[in-house]
Amino acid sequence: MNQLEQLKQFTTIVADTGDFQAMQAFAPHDATTNPSLILKAVQKDEYKPLLEKAVREHKALPTEAIIDRVLIAFGLEILKIIPGRVSTETDARLSFDTEGSIAKGRALMALYEAAGIGRERVLIKVASTWEGIRAAEVLEREGIHCNLTLLFSLPQAMACADAGVTLISPFVGRIYDWYKKTNGREYSGADDPGVQSVKRIYNYYRKFAYSTEVMGASFRNTAQIVELAGCDLLTVSPELLQQLAENETPIERKLTPEAAQQSQDEKRTLNQVQFRLMLNDDAMATEKLAEGIRAFAADAVKLEKIIDALRMQ
């Protein structure tokens, strides 16, 4: 049995891609997308017709609304392949706009529902800022399930759990990147700061019986994935899925609800001031959150330019 098959025994595997062919090859349960992945996909010849069709059919709409249609078009194709949920991201430029994020989440969900997709099959991705978490809290009360992304720290996870969000995506690889660059050294296995962060969050959630699911994300190598075996979900790129499928080394479950009871963290409910102070005290999380928002926003702008160019044809 290869490592991918072994992992699927105790972790839900999610495809971190906008590439439909990769999803069909690895049979994940769920799939996640983000502006960078969609931008990458629409520049491939096999996916250009999807983009062109969305632009052609909605030419009269503002560019922002056409992007929504493109995101939904990809989501609908993905849902034909996977049995579970697709995550569709809100515009990163709304990361500090609670009302804007709520409106965008409602709009995306309305488009899915108009296409006959139920709310149980969609997760709206929102950045794990204070404003994003508040937006998700409102959306969740309306039955619109959310995936809180760009999550790098325990205070972000604490606030998400208290807001009742469906799922969080703590980023392993980007944490690893920061510590590797800052400290000038490699990390591996259980010593990896990204792995340690997700393990701590998982243990906190399971110890205090939160219903929010933990989905490890942003992996740099398969060792990070194997160390988080047992996490609720893991979202993995096609390249790393391929490596797991080709490796038959036995793996063991590392995260369990039982082991989580040994967590030393105390349960806390954070107000806005406490949240911002704790996040500010974590230089890695502060820098990576800001950097992630900038990168996703920049890719959204690039996507807008591609759409505007198509509209002029």
Side-chain angles (χ1 to χ4, degrees), residues 35-52:
S36 302
L37 292 173
I38 296 297
L39 178 66
K40 189 176 172 183
V42 299
Q43 294 176 81
K44 293 183 177 181
D45 288 340
E46 59 263 45
Y47 299 120
K48 278 182 182 172
L50 203 62
L51 173 67
E52 291 166 352

Side-chain angles (χ1 to χ4, degrees), residues 75-95:
L76 293 174
E77 291 300 317
I78 289 168
L79 287 169
K80 293 175 184 176
I81 299 167
I82 60 169
R85 304 169 294 189
V86 66
S87 289
T88 296
E89 191 140 352
T90 55
D91 192 325
R93 292 167 292 184
L94 297 172
S95 295

